[in-house]
Amino acid sequence: MSLGIGVGDATGLYRDFDALGWVLTGLATLTLVARRRAPTTVLLLFCAIWTAHITLGYHPVVNSAGSLLALYTVAAARPIGPTVAAASVPALVWLYGGVLDRQGSLVAAATQALLWPAVVSYLGSAARRLHERGEQLTTLTEELRRDRQELARRAVSDERLRIARDLHDVVAHHLSVVSIQAGLAWYVLETDPPTARSALRTARDTVGEALTEMRAMLGVLRPGLPDPAELDAPPAPGLARVDDLLCRIRATGVPVRTVVTGLPRALPPGPDLCAYRFLQEALTNVLKHAGSAATVTLDYQPDRFTAAVADGGPAHPVRGLPQPRTGGGRGLTGMAERARQYGGTVTVEGGDDGFTVTLTLPASPPEQPRPVL
C-alpha cells in the first residue's frame, strides 16, 4: 500500500491511493483469512478484486503479494493439475497489469507473470508432498506398531502353548509311573516287601528326575537370570536317554522291546528333544490305556528319522491293583504340534488289537527353535 501511495504521489501516473483503494485492498486481504478452508475460491476472489484495483488505475504491484500467498495455499492443498490451472489466474492478472503499466516494460511484466507463479507453485507442491510423506510415515509407523503388538501376542501365545506342552509331557509321564509304582507297592506291601521297596525306589527316582526337569524348565522361565547354559543345568533330554526312559517303563511291569534300523546318528537339539518327548508321551499312553507289551522302533534313514511305538491293546487289570486314570488329554495334539515345528508328522493307526503311533522327521528340519526343557 505504501508503494502505491508513493508512486501515485511522486509521478502522477497512477491514481492516488484514496479511500476506495483502501477498501479494495482491505477486502482482498480479508479474503486470505479463509484461504485454508477454500483455497481455490479465495484465489479467484482475490484476483477479481486485484483486477478491479488495477482497472481503476491503482498501481498494479499493490496486492500482488497476496495473490502469491493464495496461490501457495492452493499448491499446498491441491494436486499438480489444479495447481497449474490456478497459477494461470494470477499470471494473467499480472500480465494484464503489465499491459496497463505506463511505467514498466511489457517483457518484464510477462517474465514476472511466468516466473513468480511458477516458483510459488513449486514451493507449495513441495510442501504438499512433504506433508503427504509425513502422513504416510505416520500410517506406516502405526501399522508397524500394530504388527509388533500382534507378533508379541503371537510369541506369548506360542510360548504359553509350548510351556503347557512341555509341562504335560513331564508331569503326565512321571506321575503315571509314580502312580503305578505306588499302587504296586501298596498292593504287595505285606505279601512281598522286597517288591514293594523296589517299586517305592523307582517312584522316588522318578520324582527326583521330574523335579530336576521342572527346575530346569522354571530356570529358563524366570526373568533376570543368566542364560541356562551359564548355570549348571542339566542338558535337555534326547534320544541318548531313551534307555533310562525304557527302564522306567519296564519297572512298571510293561515289557518294552527296542528295534533300531539304519545307521544311528545324533539328531539336532530340537528334533532330538522332539523325538524324546514323543517316545515319552507314547509310552505314557501305553501305561495309561494299554498296559500290555510295547515295541519301540527307531529308524535312521538318510533323508528322515522315524520313531514308532506299538502296543498290543488293553491288558487285563490285576484285581486290587490301582490303575491309572484314562481321562481325555492333549497328548496326541501336543505330539503333532511339536512335530510340525520341525517339518514332521505324527500318525496313529490301529484299533482294539493295539495302536501304533509314528513320528516322522525330515533329515533337515526347516526351522530350529530353541528347545525348552
Side-chain angles (χ1 to χ4, degrees):
M1 289 184 292
S2 61
L3 178 62
I5 295 172
V7 172
D9 291 341
T11 64
L13 298 177
Y14 301 103
R15 179 175 176 173
D16 291 337
F17 204 75
D18 52 15
L20 180 58
W22 282 100
V23 171
L24 291 177
T25 302
L27 288 176
T29 305
L30 187 62
T31 62
L32 296 177
V33 176
R35 62 189 177 88
R36 295 186 183 277
R37 295 183 179 180
T40 304
T41 302
V42 168
L43 175 63
L44 294 177
L45 183 59
F46 188 97
C47 288
I49 299 174
W50 184 24
T51 302
H53 191 272
I54 296 173
T55 304
L56 292 174
Y58 296 105
H59 197 286
V61 177
V62 180
N63 296 321
S64 60
S67 67
L68 295 179
L69 177 60
L71 176 60
Y72 177 87
T73 305
V74 173
R78 299 290 185 266
I80 187 65
T83 298
V84 172
S88 63
V89 178
L92 292 175
V93 176
W94 206 303
L95 186 61
Y96 172 69
V99 172
L100 300 182
D101 189 0
R102 289 161 290 178
Q103 185 181 12
S105 169
L106 181 60
V107 175
T111 302
Q112 294 179 5
L114 295 176
L115 178 62
W116 287 114
V119 171
V120 171
S121 298
Y122 174 79
L123 294 177
S125 298
R128 175 180 55 81
R129 291 193 299 270
L130 182 61
H131 178 70
E132 291 175 351
R133 290 175 183 175
E135 290 184 340
Q136 292 175 356
L137 181 59
T138 301
T139 302
L140 291 176
T141 302
E142 179 64 21
E143 292 179 356
L144 179 60
R145 184 187 66 81
R146 290 197 296 266
D147 290 343
R148 292 183 62 181
Q149 288 181 344
E150 179 64 18
L151 288 176
R153 186 192 65 80
R154 290 183 180 179
V156 171
S157 178
D158 292 343
E159 190 65 16
R160 290 179 60 186
L161 179 62
R162 185 166 59 175
I163 293 171
R165 185 169 56 240
D166 290 322
L167 284 173
H168 173 273
D169 292 343
V170 173
V171 173
H173 169 74
H174 290 89
L175 287 185
S176 295
V177 174
V178 169
S179 175
I180 292 177
Q181 294 299 315
L184 175 62
W186 175 263
Y187 182 69
V188 300
L189 182 61
E190 297 180 356
T191 59
D192 192 354
T195 301
R197 284 194 297 270
S198 177
L200 292 175
R201 187 182 302 110
T202 301
R204 180 199 61 189
D205 295 341
T206 302
V207 170
E209 183 175 344
L211 289 176
T212 300
E213 291 194 34
M214 291 291 291
R215 289 193 188 99
M217 188 183 303
L218 294 176
V220 173
L221 299 178
R222 286 197 185 100
L225 291 180
D227 190 89
E230 300 176 2
L231 304 173
D232 191 16
L239 294 178
R241 293 171 53 180
V242 167
D243 290 340
D244 296 336
L245 174 63
L246 298 179
C247 287
R248 283 200 304 272
I249 299 299
R250 294 186 181 108
T252 64
V254 176
V256 180
R257 186 171 66 95
T258 305
V259 178
V260 180
T261 58
L263 183 61
R265 65 181 183 275
L267 301 180
D272 192 34
L273 175 62
C274 176
Y276 179 86
R277 293 301 190 199
F278 166 80
L279 294 175
Q280 188 180 57
E281 176 63 25
L283 291 172
T284 301
N285 287 340
V286 172
L287 287 179
K288 294 164 60 177
H289 305 292
S292 57
T295 301
V296 175
T297 303
L298 305 178
D299 182 22
Y300 296 87
Q301 297 297 326
D303 60 338
R304 69 182 185 279
F305 168 79
T306 303
V309 176
D311 63 69
H316 299 289
V318 180
R319 180 176 299 177
L321 181 61
Q323 299 296 317
R325 296 182 180 180
T326 58
R330 296 183 54 84
L332 292 176
T333 302
M335 291 182 194
E337 290 172 350
R338 193 188 294 275
R340 280 196 296 269
Q341 292 180 354
Y342 304 98
T345 59
V346 173
T347 59
V348 181
E349 300 175 349
D352 294 336
D353 296 334
F355 285 87
T356 300
V357 187
T358 305
L359 166 71
T360 303
L361 295 174
S364 300
E367 56 180 310
Q368 295 288 337
R370 182 178 180 180
V372 175
L373 297 179

